[in-house]
Amino acid sequence: MNSSTSNTANTANLANVANTASPWQKADGDQYVQNISRKIPGYALQYDLMDTLLTARLDKWEKQDKPRLLVVGAGGGQEILKLGLSHPDWSFSGLDTSQSMLQAAKQRLAAAGLIDRVRLHHTEIAAWSSNALHDAATCMLVLHFLQGQESKLTMLRSIAARLRPGAPLCISAICGEPGTPAWELQMAGWRLHMLGNGIAEDEWQTFEQSFGVTSHPLPAQEMEVLLLEAGFTAVSRFFGAYLIDGWVAVKA
């Protein structure tokens, strides 16, 4: 592929990322924070496991500098809140495409006394101007919002490019094949989970109808292949609940 063709392809990938992210541009950050734990089974556990895996990896490194973490999809602030309270010497770069979600994160982190260790950026990672290398990264419940494998791979490669060799990544996403019997079985259980936690039927229907429109899952095995293609190794699963899967991997 020549340079002009490559540049055109990269531009198209970035456009896909931007277009897919657009539903979040006007997202209600406060409402998201209030509702997400009622919708996602094992929501708190997912972040507990993320914390222990990153801690186990970073504690093995002998570094003079304090760890710097990259948080892709930082809107709402959950990852930074969890990790920042557990690790007073860690600092964070948080990226999100939604200004309202970032505002919700800023308010939560300021209330927790963490904002001085955080730099929030309203941008996609593929377009982020910083070339600083980080010691670890998270990308939780984000990747399924990108349409197509190429856009997902572009994001994963952009994350890898901003990590030191050996740095861990914790990532989770909705995975599966809509329309298959396995998908329908999992969705039926997920529906009962949400309704049992006070989510209204019409809100469930909006979620169910989002697949193929604003949410674009891939089978879990394809997600693992993308991580390897993006420059990660030691890919392994650490979380699973209905159609949500979480992996930890290491920058090669």
Side-chain angles (χ1 to χ4, degrees), residues 35-113:
N35 287 341
I36 189 65
S37 62
R38 295 191 293 145
K39 294 180 177 180
I40 303 299
Y43 182 73
L45 174 61
Q46 188 176 165
Y47 290 90
D48 287 342
L49 297 175
M50 172 198 73
D51 186 357
T52 56
L53 285 165
L54 295 179
T55 302
R57 183 71 180 182
L58 293 179
D59 280 353
K60 291 183 177 180
W61 285 18
E62 295 181 1
K63 292 181 76 278
Q64 293 182 350
D65 297 332
K66 296 178 180 179
R68 301 173 58 190
L69 276 75
L70 172 63
V71 179
V72 180
Q78 182 63 30
E79 296 95 316
I80 300 175
L81 188 67
K82 174 67 178 177
L83 297 172
L85 290 174
S86 300
H87 305 278
D89 58 336
W90 291 9
S91 61
F92 304 89
S93 298
L95 281 62
D96 206 288
T97 60
S98 168
Q99 189 66 62
S100 60
M101 293 290 287
L102 283 175
Q103 184 60 32
K106 183 177 180 180
Q107 292 173 354
R108 292 182 79 194
L109 298 173

Side-chain angles (χ1 to χ4, degrees), residues 53-54 57-58 61 135-137 163 166-170 232 248-251:
L53 285 165
L54 295 179
R57 183 71 180 182
L58 293 179
W61 285 18
D135 300 298
L163 291 177
L169 165 69
C170 282
F232 292 94
V248 62
V250 173
K251 166 69 179 294

Side-chain angles (χ1 to χ4, degrees), residues 1-11:
M1 182 181 291
N2 60 40
S3 60
S4 62
T5 303
S6 176
N7 289 337
T8 300
N10 289 337
T11 300

Side-chain angles (χ1 to χ4, degrees), residues 10 13-14 17 70 72 95 124-128 130-134 137 143 146 150-163 169 229-232 251:
N10 289 337
N13 287 337
L14 293 178
V17 173
L70 172 63
V72 180
L95 281 62
E124 306 156 7
I125 186 167
W128 191 29
S130 174
N131 292 317
L133 295 181
H134 296 74
L143 205 64
L146 303 186
E150 286 303 315
S151 292
K152 291 174 172 36
L153 185 57
T154 294
M155 173 177 275
L156 293 174
R157 283 175 170 163
S158 297
I159 294 173
R162 290 166 174 83
L163 291 177
L169 165 69
E229 289 185 14
F232 292 94
K251 166 69 179 294

Side-chain angles (χ1 to χ4, degrees), residues 208-227:
E208 185 178 32
Q209 293 164 8
S210 70
F211 295 103
V213 181
T214 60
S215 183
H216 309 276
L218 291 177
Q221 60 269 27
E222 293 185 26
M223 296 293 293
E224 294 181 4
V225 170
L226 288 181
L227 285 165

